[in-house]
Amino acid sequence: MLLVKDLVEEFDLKIWGGNAGLENEIPSFDLSRPGLEIAGYFSHYSSDRVQVLGMKEISFFERVLSDQDREDRAKRLCRKETPCIIVTRSQQPPLELIEACNETNTVLLITEDNTTNFTSRITTYLEKELAPETNMHGVLVDVYGIGVMITGESGIGKSETALELVKNGHRLVADDNVEIKEVNKNVLMGSAPELIQHLLEIRGLGIINVMTLFGAGCILTEKRIMLNVHLENWTDNNTYDRLGLEDKKIKILNSEVTKKVIPIRPGRSLAGIIEVAAMNHRLNQMGHNAAHEFNDRLNEKIKNNGGSQ
């Protein structure tokens, strides 16, 4: 839940009215620039959004509207579901607006920033804070710039693999519990709950602090999840992808992430396999796919041999 007081602290905003509404909840990451509303058109007023008034809106309010209209528009702007109104460029809010905000507990805030910069900053902040979120059991590691989410049954070796990756110079984001936010379509950001940040649980050793042992360069607070590596015990009855032509996905919230299933058996270097998986994923994103290239060569060879007979 995001409250108006959180905005005040994040952007160092000054409070000019409606102090009793600092606990108002902000339900939407969308902003409203109520220019038409100040002119009198309220048919499609998005009253449940953060309202931003720039120089044009304040100038029109003060210079064009009559005293009666200013009072009317101020009251209609401030509704019980309106979380707050923010005036940019340190402009003096109209007296009618201050009074309406005090009456309805709509917080009236002032920022020194100009309208364009402020709307950009607050939109990015709201999209992140109000993004759909979930938690997943797994380990998130930054491997060669690729956010790799390692999943699998409890005790299969996820944390031990992450420890080996950290020793190889990669960075830990979260162990055991990964908080995931969908900041955009197919853009999932993962982080660790505050309680377990920088920590790894290794069976037989217990809890270790990765930052204390290996330095601050081995941890990362947040990373985009780009690849899921799922570990499972090797079963002879299962048929595993040997060429890499299968395009498996895992769905998290409303987004999809490429999934690779890695069977575990003695002698396999999981850390090394995950490093190669991350590098190969990056190559695939750049348009190079070894599996498809091999398949094309094979088809061409078959075609040529068939034609020569």
Side-chain angles (χ1 to χ4, degrees):
M1 180 185 297
L2 186 66
L3 306 178
V4 172
K5 66 179 183 180
D6 298 323
L7 287 185
V8 175
E9 295 175 1
E10 179 69 22
F11 295 97
D12 193 25
L13 304 174
K14 297 178 181 178
I15 304 172
W16 274 74
N19 300 54
L22 287 173
E23 297 290 331
N24 290 347
E25 181 181 354
I26 300 174
S28 173
F29 56 75
D30 290 318
L31 301 178
S32 174
R33 292 285 304 277
L36 287 175
E37 288 79 2
I38 292 177
Y41 185 76
F42 280 85
S43 296
H44 300 284
Y45 177 39
S46 302
S47 56
D48 61 337
R49 301 179 183 178
V50 172
Q51 310 294 320
V52 180
L53 302 181
M55 184 173 292
K56 291 181 180 179
E57 290 82 7
I58 294 298
S59 177
F60 184 90
F61 196 98
E62 293 181 330
R63 299 182 182 182
V64 178
L65 300 181
S66 64
D67 293 344
Q68 183 177 354
D69 285 339
R70 285 201 295 269
E71 184 176 348
D72 172 71
R73 307 296 155 74
K75 289 182 178 179
R76 296 175 71 182
L77 282 175
C78 301
R79 300 183 181 180
K80 62 180 181 179
E81 66 273 15
T82 306
C84 63
I85 296 175
I86 303 176
V87 179
T88 62
R89 292 182 178 271
S90 297
Q91 298 177 90
Q92 173 73 36
L95 178 61
E96 295 84 358
L97 187 58
I98 297 174
E99 293 176 347
C101 287
N102 287 330
E103 290 176 4
T104 58
N105 295 329
T106 302
V107 187
L108 181 60
L109 303 169
I110 306 295
T111 176
E112 297 178 354
D113 208 350
N114 64 60
T115 308
T116 300
N117 288 341
F118 181 74
T119 53
S120 176
R121 290 170 56 213
I122 194 173
T123 297
T124 301
Y125 174 77
L126 292 177
E127 285 179 348
K128 180 179 178 181
E129 293 299 316
L130 297 177
E133 58 183 299
T134 188
N135 289 66
M136 281 189 66
H137 176 64
V139 180
L140 181 57
V141 188
D142 174 22
V143 182
Y144 297 126
I146 302 296
V148 181
M149 178 79 159
I150 307 173
T151 57
E153 295 182 1
S154 181
I156 203 166
K158 300 183 295 295
S159 298
E160 289 80 0
T161 303
L163 177 60
E164 190 66 28
L165 288 168
V166 168
K167 289 176 63 179
N168 290 350
H170 305 293
R171 295 185 288 179
L172 174 71
V173 182
D175 176 50
D176 190 55
N177 182 17
V178 183
E179 294 182 343
I180 302 173
K181 287 191 174 185
E182 186 180 45
V183 299
N184 213 329
K185 182 65 175 177
N186 293 326
V187 179
L188 300 167
M189 301 301 296
S191 60
E194 184 176 357
L195 182 64
I196 60 173
Q197 283 182 353
H198 316 153
L199 303 180
L200 264 177
E201 179 192 352
I202 306 298
R203 283 173 171 78
L205 291 181
I207 303 295
I208 65 172
N209 191 313
V210 172
M211 185 173 70
T212 302
L213 288 175
F214 300 101
C218 289
I219 58 99
L220 197 61
T221 57
E222 184 181 56
K223 184 65 182 179
R224 179 181 174 182
I225 300 173
M226 306 171 70
L227 176 65
N228 169 229
V229 173
H230 184 77
L231 306 180
E232 64 176 42
N233 289 313
W234 188 297
T235 304
D236 292 335
N237 296 330
N238 284 353
T239 302
Y240 298 105
D241 185 15
R242 299 184 63 181
L243 297 181
L245 292 174
E246 296 183 22
D247 188 21
K248 292 185 177 180
K249 301 284 186 180
I250 180 175
K251 188 169 184 179
I252 304 174
L253 295 171
N254 297 310
S255 298
E256 291 186 337
V257 176
T258 299
K259 178 180 181 179
K260 298 295 182 182
V261 178
I262 306 297
I264 298 175
R265 73 185 317 176
R268 303 199 89 192
S269 172
L270 293 180
I273 292 173
I274 290 176
E275 287 176 329
V276 173
M279 290 187 289
N280 193 56
H281 181 75
R282 174 178 284 179
L283 278 176
N284 291 346
Q285 289 184 317
M286 297 170 63
H288 302 283
N289 191 305
H292 290 166
E293 291 174 4
F294 170 76
N295 192 53
D296 291 341
R297 291 182 195 174
L298 181 61
N299 290 334
E300 186 66 23
K301 184 72 173 178
I302 294 172
K303 179 181 178 181
N304 292 337
N305 288 345
S308 62
Q309 294 178 355

